[in-house]
Amino acid sequence: MTGSRPDAPRRRPVDRLVTIALLAYGLVNVVVTGLSYLDFPTAMNQMMSALGVDGEFTNFAQGKLWGTIASIVLVAGWSLTALLSVRRLRSGKVSWWVPLAGGAVTLLVASICAAIPLMNDPAFIDFVAKTAGG
């Protein structure tokens, strides 16, 4: 043999680099987005302004609750994704796809959390009704 054990994990430097880069990008995204969700009315006002919604976000109670939940979902999702990625890297398995899949699932759940107070906001409901009515 050439000195390598048959059960030793395979080294994949490109996979390792891509996985770590995706995790780092995800961490920055989680911090920025999580902090914006903690100031939910400001984030929703910016989003509503970009969409052309007349009025401001006023569903403050639900916004605070669901913004906090969405922030927690982002942190928990990233943490679980990082844990699974590191475990796969250590075992020598291809890992680049884990941050992508984890990010997609986490984003979906966090977006649902953020949509709940938005869908109950009077200005946004009015905008949707006008848009749907033609």
Side-chain angles (χ1 to χ4, degrees):
M1 291 196 104
T2 61
S4 66
R5 295 177 297 167
D7 61 344
R10 293 184 57 194
R11 299 226 179 248
R12 293 181 169 90
V14 173
D15 178 58
R16 178 177 298 274
L17 178 67
V18 170
T19 302
I20 292 170
L22 287 170
L23 287 172
Y25 176 76
L27 180 60
V28 170
N29 193 1
V30 164
V31 170
V32 170
T33 306
L35 289 174
S36 73
Y37 280 161
L38 292 176
D39 186 14
F40 200 79
T42 301
M44 289 305 102
N45 279 331
Q46 291 172 349
M47 189 271 310
M48 288 168 63
S49 176
L51 288 174
V53 176
D54 292 328
E56 292 187 358
F57 182 81
T58 57
N59 192 4
F60 298 116
Q62 279 191 346
K64 182 175 180 166
L65 172 67
W66 286 100
T68 302
I69 292 171
S71 293
I72 292 168
V73 165
L74 288 173
V75 171
W78 185 88
S79 298
L80 181 60
T81 299
L83 175 71
L84 294 174
S85 297
V86 169
R87 289 181 71 186
R88 288 187 66 85
L89 283 172
R90 286 185 177 163
S91 68
K93 296 177 182 174
V94 175
S95 305
W96 63 266
W97 62 271
V98 177
L100 293 177
V105 170
T106 301
L107 178 62
L108 175 67
V109 175
S111 296
I112 291 169
C113 293
I116 292 170
L118 186 62
M119 294 299 183
N120 290 305
D121 183 72
F124 191 77
I125 291 171
D126 186 49
F127 171 76
V128 171
K130 286 180 184 175
T131 304

